Amino acid sequence: NCIIAASDYYLDDDGKKAADLYQKACEFGHPDGCKWAGWLYMTGFGVDSDYVRAIKFYDVACKADDLEACVNIGFMFENGAGVDQSYSAARDIYHLACERGALQGCNNLGYFYQEGRGVEKDIRKAKSLYEKSCNDEAVWGCNNLGGLYYKGLGVERDIQKMLHYNKMACDRDLTIGCDALGAIYLHGRGVPIDYQRALEYFQKSCSNNSMLGCSFLATMYASGQGVTKNLKKGLKLLTRACEHGSNLGCNLLKVHLANEKAQ
């Protein structure tokens, strides 16, 4: 009952009441309560951000076999949030979570092998881990696998495979996958320019709150690429992106406003 009530408050954007009830559920021994209390304190949703408190809640959930909480602890070690940054500690947690079936842990571990974080760089190993994690539960694996094929890292460069894997990510609402596809078709990078497809991918990512997608969509409207030119709509989208912290959105907004003033 505490979990259900907390979820209702969360959906109503009342993070404080949600955190209180998730914490109560945690005290009653419910791992989900611990995990979600940790998430609220990690993100500062409705409560003051408190990484130390967050990791304590995650630790209780992780010890109760909530693998998502374990992966989040790895993320905090990776980024030095509430703990001293340690790639080796994050690596060990991701490895354990992956071995126990947490596919996001496999993806994160794959990225460590791709970048050489806490391990010797091994693109082949990274690819294997991305392949393992590329399914409904961990779409980042699909996106990262697409990135390997696009860059030709450890594999022969293959745009069609990149499109396949990034589309899998985009279809499951991972906005960065949609943004990558939109950019490919907008600029004709390895494929013929296709403004209609680019527009569709950017519209999807923007509607899912990708400010990068909104910025690209805005430029298409502002310049009339694949759509009827609509500078007003383009500037509105760029303003939204800029207000939400997109440097690209802010820079493009300045350029378009300057051009408009010059005319």
Side-chain angles (χ1 to χ4, degrees):
N1 287 337
C2 291
I3 293 289
I4 293 170
S7 299
D8 288 340
Y9 280 119
Y10 172 77
L11 292 173
D12 289 336
D13 290 331
D14 191 336
K16 178 64 172 64
K17 288 183 178 178
D20 290 342
L21 287 168
Y22 281 134
Q23 183 171 341
K24 181 170 285 190
C26 181
E27 291 168 355
F28 285 147
H30 200 305
D32 273 354
C34 306
K35 175 179 68 180
W36 285 108
W39 188 86
L40 291 175
Y41 282 108
M42 182 178 76
T43 59
F45 181 83
V47 294
D48 291 335
S49 181
D50 188 333
Y51 293 143
V52 173
R53 199 170 184 180
I55 206 165
K56 287 180 179 178
F57 281 119
Y58 282 147
D59 187 56
V60 175
C62 180
K63 287 176 178 175
D65 289 330
D66 188 311
L67 298 180
E68 186 177 351
C70 300
V71 171
N72 288 343
I73 292 174
F75 176 82
M76 297 185 80
F77 271 107
E78 179 182 350
N79 293 279
V83 291
D84 292 334
Q85 186 185 48
S86 173
Y87 287 148
S88 60
R91 173 204 64 206
D92 291 344
I93 294 169
Y94 290 151
H95 176 76
L96 181 62
C98 179
E99 289 293 301
R100 291 164 64 186
L103 299 185
Q104 187 60 44
C106 300
N107 170 72
N108 294 1
L109 185 60
Y111 188 74
F112 270 36
Y113 277 104
Q114 180 179 333
E115 297 298 314
R117 290 185 174 181
V119 293
E120 186 175 343
K121 195 170 184 177
D122 187 336
I123 300 297
R124 187 183 297 273
K125 181 70 173 177
K127 176 176 177 287
S128 175
L129 287 162
Y130 289 153
E131 288 173 336
K132 183 175 181 178
S133 68
C134 179
N135 71 11
D136 289 335
E137 295 181 36
V139 294
W140 271 100
C142 305
N143 183 77
N144 290 340
L145 193 55
L148 293 184
Y149 280 106
Y150 179 71
K151 298 174 183 176
L153 293 177
V155 293
E156 185 175 348
R157 191 167 190 262
D158 190 325
I159 297 298
Q160 292 306 311
K161 285 187 177 180
M162 175 270 174
L163 295 174
H164 169 74
Y165 286 114
N166 280 79
K167 187 175 185 302
M168 288 176 69
C170 179
D171 287 347
R172 296 163 192 167
D173 294 326
L174 184 65
T175 57
I176 193 171
C178 302
D179 290 336
L181 290 169
I184 285 287
Y185 285 112
L186 178 63
H187 301 295
R189 295 172 178 167
V191 296
I193 289 176
D194 190 329
Y195 291 137
Q196 188 57 43
R197 283 189 175 181
L199 183 71
E200 290 171 1
Y201 285 123
F202 289 140
Q203 284 175 329
K204 181 171 183 176
S205 68
C206 184
S207 67
N208 285 326
N209 295 316
S210 165
M211 294 305 106
L212 180 62
C214 290
S215 298
F216 276 117
L217 184 62
T219 62
M220 295 187 74
Y221 276 109
S223 59
Q225 291 178 305
V227 292
T228 301
K229 186 174 181 178
N230 188 333
L231 183 59
K232 183 178 179 180
K233 186 169 185 177
L235 293 177
K236 184 177 180 180
L237 284 166
L238 286 174
T239 300
R240 175 189 171 195
C242 182
E243 289 176 347
H244 283 79
S246 169
N247 290 331
L248 175 63
C250 294
N251 292 335
L252 289 174
L253 181 61
K254 290 177 183 177
V255 170
H256 284 293
L257 288 175
N259 289 340
E260 186 180 25
K261 186 176 181 180
Q263 293 174 2

